[in-house]
């Protein structure tokens, strides 16, 4: 199996300039948290395989060996902590743009999924580490199903997940895609790091949204409600309208969005 080598493609100045590579690891997010304090901003931890890959809210992330891109970026922005959660949208927009650079069209399912043919091909997990005096680091973990085969997905995932290889019917160059994600991430991240400006990522998330205009189920805590998705606002919140006519702006941390029948059946 070829080790990750992105020297030919990386144009970013600080994102991905330092990479910690592992054959196997529990979770790149866990490892990134361990080294965040000493690491330079933009340091990336990547692994061929994760044995305890993490999704949001304690869920699992399937990460078979050598077939995906499972990595975490360490970030140290100076913006207010309330702004920091929006970084997930920068990750989503960067993956969308990188796939486009590879000639692959995709959609963004707010706040943290990339979707092709109605199935999830990438998930993003943003975590924060709080330090003294209100300072913090961010770990943005990105998992992309690059060359996974049908048999890499268990029964539960088969109808809601796919890989680039399954969509394209041929292998996709992991090195190129990895570098393209890092390059695009840096371009979108710089205005955010400097002035909290996330407009371009929001615009992309809106333009490529698979949710806007759809009827969805909103799952949060023990509640499940049906609503129509109206928009993504300039703060990166999802604006929904319930059947009783009330509208609400949802923050990314609090909910999961599903199609009426399954993951994103009505797309
Ligand atoms: C996510 O959570 O989508 C965040 C996934 C983040 C993974 C990266 S890999 C590098 C870094 N290190 C980590 O440990 N994590 C990050 P969520 O929205 O909660 O979705 C999780 C759900 O997606 C699971 O409950 C499954 O239903 C589904 N799932 C699990 N593995 C999948 C895969 N490989 N492809 C598509 N769907 C998957």
């Amino acid at each position: 199996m070829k080790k990750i080598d992105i020297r030919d493609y990386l144009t970013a100045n600080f994102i991905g300039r330092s990479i910690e590579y592992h054959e196997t690891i529990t979770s790149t997010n866990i490892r990134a948290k361990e080294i965040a304090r000493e690491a330079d901003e933009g340091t990336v931890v990547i692994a061929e395989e994760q044995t305890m890959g993490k999704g949001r809210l304690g869920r699992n992330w399937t990460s078979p060996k050598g077939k995906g891109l499972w990595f975490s970026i360490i970030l140290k922005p100076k913006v207010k902590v309330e702004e920091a959660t929006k970084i997930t949208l920068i990750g989503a927009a960067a993956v969308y743009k990188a796939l486009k650079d590879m000639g692959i069209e995709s959609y963004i399912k707010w706040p943290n999924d990339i979707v092709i043919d109605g199935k999830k091909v990438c998930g993003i997990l943003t975590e924060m580490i709080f330090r003294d005096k209100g300072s913090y680091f961010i770990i943005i973990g990105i998992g992309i199903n690059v060359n996974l085969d049908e048999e890499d997905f268990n029964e539960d995932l088969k109808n809601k997940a796919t890989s680039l290889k399954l969509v394209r019917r041929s292998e996709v160059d992991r090195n190129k895609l990895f570098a393209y994600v890092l390059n695009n991430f840096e371009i979108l991240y710089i205005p955010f790091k400097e002035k909290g400006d996330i407009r371009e990522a929001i615009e992309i998330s809106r333009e490529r949204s698979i949710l806007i205009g759809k009827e969805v189920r909103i799952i949060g805590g023990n509640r499940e409600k049906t609503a129509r998705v109206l928009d993504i606002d300039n703060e990166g919140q999802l604006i929904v309208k319930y059947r009783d006519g009330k509208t609400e702006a949802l923050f990314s941390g609090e909910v999961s969005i599903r199609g009426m029948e399954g993951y994103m059946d009505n797309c």
Side-chain angles (χ1 to χ4, degrees), residues 27-28 50 54-56 59-62 112 120 123 145 161:
S27 151
T28 57
Q50 297 184 117
K54 295 198 292 176
R56 297 183 307 156
R59 295 190 280 245
N60 295 322
W61 184 257
T62 298
N112 69 314
K120 181 160 171 170
N145 298 332

Side-chain angles (χ1 to χ4, degrees), residues 183-198:
N183 295 343
N184 280 293
F185 188 90
E186 182 171 289
I187 293 168
L188 293 163
Y189 175 65
I190 286 173
F192 177 78
K193 172 184 168 58
E194 288 170 0
K195 21 186 210 317
D197 177 353
I198 189 187

Side-chain angles (χ1 to χ4, degrees), residues 78-95:
K78 293 280 180 284
V79 299
K80 281 202 222 106
V81 73
E82 305 87 82
E83 302 285 309
T85 51
K86 297 178 191 165
I87 204 117
T88 302
L89 290 181
I90 295 184
V95 173

